[in-house]
Amino acid sequence: MRSDQMKKGLERSPHRSLFKALGLTDREIERPMIGIANSANELIPGHLHLHQISAAVKAGIRMAGGTPMEFFTIGICDGIGMGHEGMKYSLSSRELIADSVESMAMAYPFDGLVLIPNCDKIIPGMLMAAARLDIPAIVISGGPMLPGEFQGKKIDLVNVFEYVGKAKIGTMTMEELREAEGCACPGVGSCAGMFTANSMNCLTEVLGMALPGNGTVPAVWAERIRLAKEAGMQIMELVNRDLRPSAIMTAEAFANAITVDMAFGGSTNTSLHLPAIAKEAGVPLTLEAFNAYSDKTPHLCSMSPGGPHHLSDLHRAGGIPALMQELSRGGLLRTEALTVTGKTVGKNLTGKKILNPEVIRSLEKPYHATGGLAVLFGNLAPEGAVVKSSAVDDAMLRHTGPARVFDSEEPAMQAILDGKIQKGDVVVIRYEGPKGGPGMREMLSPTSAIVGIGRDRDVALLTDGRFSGGSKGAAIGHISPEAAEGGPIAAVQDGDRIEIDIPGKRLNLLISDEELKERLARWKPVHKELKGYLKRYAGLVRSAHTGATFE
């Protein structure tokens, strides 16, 4: 056993003495030791209940003959970090989480790992560590939040962001806004739509690193506790078989993940996280792959923010297994890929079926003929830009308009709320990329404000930063190279015409090549005073097309 390095033999008597100080018996020390990386905290609704998930995992480990050993990671709530300096620490925390899990699993050579995330950067951070360490590992998330209800309809957190715009222009009262904010998030779990957290939890299931149901079983259901116990028992099977992430997170697994991502219309942030995980797994994965799979994968689920359904609806409709079975029927999945069940994808899907054909449509009746994400290229984004095409109004799939340029999020947000953005404008927010922000802030506030003031059918928003999985409208992010690296977005001027062609996957600044070259030659880097972790992060991170990975 790997853990024998720290507990077996004459020389390890002092080590065993320390384990006994923890209350462990000889029998517990002799058993396989399973690390539990728990991201529980009292700051994120999706993580408030993770101690309960961990307790269930521990029960499962003990039932299967192992010894659980829990430690903790940090976690940042993007919804609370949104719109201020705190958001600069969200994406950047992914690397800290990966490094912290690696550090613990190397300092304490566990025989296996159970990873308990639930939100945004924590899921990919833990998966990056699992790929890097390559010891038997399984993920069990805390599960999605149930939707709230306001004025007779289901709502979630994103609606509240949109209601801010409505309150600003007077189409909603402050009393109604206050009522909505008390209804939208009814309890624990990751926010109820197909935003980044739920996209990544579902894709963890598709990658084969979590048991079926991981992405969709609601946080407050007893089924989630049972699933956590099963995960605790299953890690012991993985340890006994020495079944490692390198045998699971293969090129075939990532192909499946992108395919399912396109089918359910996941967050644009998956195009950051999947390449970052793949890099740790030694699997080549470029942005071009997202377009290749999007072109041949129909969009089968219309999930919030682009549609009416939430994760609880998807679960009742058969969940990710039912969606994967439908894709498999069309020959779109690699069914030979191995999973933490110890079985192949094909074996896991046996007998699965769609229980609600409106929530999960058939291949013959898709919401859209192609996938829910698109990567755009052109002289404004030579290395790519990403849009959640399934959440774009048909009127904005092709658009040309004048640029309104802002060098950070705050003045853009103020201009939107002050009514200074006109029909047809293309709002450009730059110097918010991984290096330039630094930290590549999510911008749910400005995109939701545009929706709230009723401009999502005639205003686009472009940035070298990124958007929340809850953003909708013509919100095009991850523009690479970013402005801080002298990318073409740094040369855009107020009034320049910008052409957006989402079906054609093009994004162009309508000036001559000579003019663009001259402007970039005159460009000078913008200096920001940084200190601490952000200074180190900005010095190491690369543009979004790499997955915002370190050099």
Side-chain angles (χ1 to χ4, degrees):
M1 292 188 292
R2 187 172 181 263
S3 62
D4 285 348
Q5 299 173 53
M6 62 178 172
K7 68 184 187 184
K8 191 172 183 179
L10 177 69
E11 297 83 358
R12 296 295 178 260
S13 181
H15 303 63
R16 292 192 295 272
S17 181
L18 290 168
F19 282 132
K20 289 179 178 181
L22 299 175
L24 296 182
T25 65
D26 285 329
R27 185 176 298 180
E28 287 176 301
I29 295 170
E30 290 164 3
R31 290 174 173 174
M33 290 186 165
I34 308 300
I36 300 176
N38 189 355
S39 54
N41 64 45
E42 296 181 353
L43 294 161
I44 312 177
H47 294 238
L48 187 63
H49 65 306
L50 293 189
H51 291 296
Q52 187 180 16
I53 299 295
S54 178
V57 168
K58 292 174 187 176
I61 291 170
R62 291 189 179 107
M63 282 190 285
T67 298
M69 307 193 77
E70 185 178 25
F71 62 93
F72 296 89
T73 74
I74 61 170
I76 292 173
C77 178
D78 283 17
I80 295 173
M82 203 82 65
H84 58 86
E85 289 293 295
M87 182 49 71
K88 294 182 178 181
Y89 286 86
S90 176
L91 179 62
S92 62
S93 73
R94 186 186 71 184
E95 273 42 49
L96 285 174
I97 292 162
D99 289 350
S100 68
V101 174
E102 175 199 355
S103 298
M104 290 297 287
M106 293 303 293
Y108 302 87
F110 302 121
D111 298 299
L113 274 177
V114 180
L115 307 168
I116 309 179
N118 209 30
C119 293
D120 295 286
K121 310 318 137 334
I122 302 143
I123 305 156
M126 288 188 174
L127 284 170
M128 289 164 68
R132 189 184 301 171
L133 290 161
D134 199 29
I135 62 175
I138 192 169
V139 176
I140 172 66
S141 78
M145 186 184 292
L146 295 174
E149 188 171 316
F150 174 65
Q151 295 182 345
K153 74 167 191 172
K154 290 182 179 180
I155 66 168
D156 53 49
L157 178 68
V158 169
N159 297 105
V160 183
F161 276 92
E162 294 169 0
Y163 294 163
V164 170
K166 290 180 180 290
K168 183 70 177 180
I169 64 173
T171 58
M172 173 178 273
T173 67
M174 289 303 298
E175 290 75 16
E176 288 175 316
L177 179 60
R178 180 61 62 88
E179 182 184 352
E181 74 183 48
C183 298
C185 299
V188 297
S190 48
C191 296
M194 193 58 84
F195 316 141
T196 305
N198 289 326
S199 296
M200 288 306 303
N201 277 327
C202 289
L203 294 184
T204 301
E205 187 178 329
V206 181
L207 278 172
M209 288 298 294
L211 296 176
N214 178 74
T216 59
V217 176
V220 295
W221 285 12
E223 185 180 351
R224 174 62 55 178
I225 301 301
R226 297 195 298 271
L227 189 66
K229 290 180 181 177
E230 293 286 350
M233 289 186 280
Q234 189 60 25
I235 187 60
M236 295 303 298
E237 178 66 19
L238 299 178
V239 169
N240 292 335
R241 292 180 54 176
D242 195 28
L243 183 52
R244 305 182 183 202
S246 56
I248 295 171
M249 287 195 281
T250 60
E252 291 75 21
F254 283 98
N256 286 344
I258 299 174
T259 298
V260 176
D261 191 12
M262 296 304 155
F264 63 48
S267 165
T268 51
N269 287 313
T270 61
S271 68
L272 284 174
H273 300 320
L274 288 176
I277 299 163
K279 179 186 175 186
E280 296 287 356
V283 176
L285 184 60
T286 65
L287 279 182
E288 286 82 359
F290 285 78
N291 276 345
Y293 290 108
S294 180
D295 287 343
K296 58 187 180 184
T297 305
H299 177 218
L300 303 182
C301 301
S302 186
M303 308 293 294
S304 175
H309 301 130
H310 294 87
L311 268 291
S312 52
D313 300 315
L314 180 59
H315 185 67
R316 292 186 181 99
I320 296 302
L323 175 59
M324 292 178 71
Q325 178 67 286
E326 183 64 13
L327 293 168
S328 177
R329 185 172 70 85
L332 296 173
L333 291 184
R334 278 69 171 171
T335 55
E336 73 283 1
L338 197 59
T339 75
V340 291
T341 65
K343 303 174 184 177
T344 64
V345 168
K347 291 285 188 183
N348 289 344
L349 298 182
T350 301
K352 304 301 181 184
K353 60 183 180 180
I354 296 171
L355 303 178
N356 184 333
E358 190 59 24
V359 177
I360 305 174
R361 289 195 173 180
S362 68
L363 294 169
E364 292 76 24
K365 192 186 175 183
Y367 283 98
H368 300 95
T370 57
L373 296 182
V375 181
L376 315 183
F377 294 91
N379 70 350
L380 190 52
E383 293 174 335
V386 184
V387 62
K388 190 169 186 172
S389 51
S390 61
V392 179
D393 191 280
D394 288 348
M396 291 298 292
L397 290 173
R398 290 185 173 89
H399 177 77
T400 300
R404 295 292 309 280
V405 182
F406 303 90
D407 285 346
S408 65
E409 176 185 357
E410 286 81 0
M413 180 66 176
Q414 196 61 52
I416 294 165
L417 292 178
D418 288 347
K420 296 179 180 178
I421 302 302
Q422 305 300 314
K423 179 178 180 178
D425 283 351
V426 178
V427 177
V428 177
I429 304 177
R430 62 191 179 191
Y431 296 104
E432 289 284 10
K435 188 179 292 291
M440 202 179 184
R441 287 193 287 179
E442 282 188 351
M443 298 185 197
L444 182 56
S445 294
T447 59
S448 298
I450 287 172
V451 173
I453 65 173
R455 296 255 74 112
D456 55 309
R457 290 177 54 86
D458 49 44
V459 167
L461 198 157
L462 313 183
T463 182
D464 55 5
R466 61 195 177 93
F467 297 111
S468 163
S471 291
K472 63 181 178 181
I476 300 169
H478 306 198
I479 291 176
S480 299
E482 61 178 290
E485 292 189 331
I489 190 174
V492 181
Q493 297 176 1
D494 273 327
D496 285 344
R497 304 284 290 176
I498 292 176
E499 178 187 49
I500 299 165
D501 181 359
I502 293 173
K505 298 181 173 62
R506 304 296 297 169
L507 181 64
N508 286 304
L509 178 63
L510 299 181
I511 62 175
S512 68
D513 292 344
E514 292 76 15
E515 173 68 12
L516 179 56
K517 187 175 180 179
E518 287 176 10
R519 289 187 190 180
L520 290 174
R522 297 193 300 268
W523 173 80
K524 297 189 183 308
V526 173
H527 178 71
K528 292 185 177 181
E529 289 292 337
L530 300 173
K531 60 183 180 179
Y533 177 57
L534 283 186
K535 183 174 183 178
R536 298 196 300 276
Y537 181 82
L540 293 171
V541 73
R542 298 181 293 169
S543 280
H545 71 284
T546 70
T549 54
F550 283 176
E551 293 183 17

